[in-house]
């Protein structure tokens, strides 16, 4: 249950270093870098020219992704703690 905005437009993986194109598409930095190297300076989403220097790090999105990871981890830990306490007869 990961928000769609956290997913790379190319491979739909959760991003750790999101970068935004001038057209507004968001990619994982390494993924779009590999795409541009393999396919040339073409945006995989729009087909328009796209150079590495056109991409801007999206720090606000990166922070939201990190916060989501922390919330998910804490919720998982809390669930684990509840299950463990259920069998604690001390």
């Amino acid at each position: 249950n990961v928000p769609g905005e956290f997913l790379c437009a190319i491979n739909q993986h959760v991003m750790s270093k999101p970068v935004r194109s001038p057209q507004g598409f968001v990619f994982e930095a390494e993924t779009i870098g590999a795409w541009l190297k393999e396919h040339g300076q073409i945006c995989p989403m729009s087909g328009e020219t796209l150079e590495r220097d056109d991409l801007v790090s999206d720090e606000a999105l990166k922070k939201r992704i990190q916060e989501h990871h922390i919330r998910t981890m804490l919720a998982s830990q809390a669930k684990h703690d509840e299950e463990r306490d259920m069998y604690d007869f001390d």
Side-chain angles (χ1 to χ4, degrees):
N1 53 4
V2 176
E5 71 172 323
F6 295 173
L7 305 177
C8 174
I10 295 173
N11 61 15
Q12 297 300 299
H13 294 172
V14 177
M15 297 176 285
S16 59
K17 295 179 183 173
V19 293
R20 190 171 297 275
S21 74
Q23 297 84 14
F25 297 106
V26 183
F27 307 100
E28 172 61 33
E30 289 184 25
T31 303
I32 190 63
W35 170 274
L36 294 172
K37 185 175 181 179
E38 185 174 327
H39 299 280
Q41 298 175 341
I42 302 295
C43 175
M45 307 309 292
S46 69
E48 296 178 30
T49 300
L50 179 65
E51 297 181 25
R52 184 83 170 142
D53 291 343
D54 295 334
L55 300 166
V56 177
S57 179
D58 192 327
E59 293 300 319
L61 179 57
K62 180 178 179 178
K63 182 177 179 180
R64 289 195 306 276
I65 293 169
Q66 290 170 339
E67 289 169 348
H68 179 268
H69 281 307
I70 291 168
R71 281 192 308 274
T72 301
M73 184 179 64
L74 292 174
S76 177
Q77 182 62 45
K79 182 178 178 184
H80 176 73
D81 289 347
E82 286 176 16
E83 291 171 355
R84 187 179 57 201
D85 288 346
M86 188 169 54
Y87 299 103
D88 185 6
F89 300 114
D90 292 335

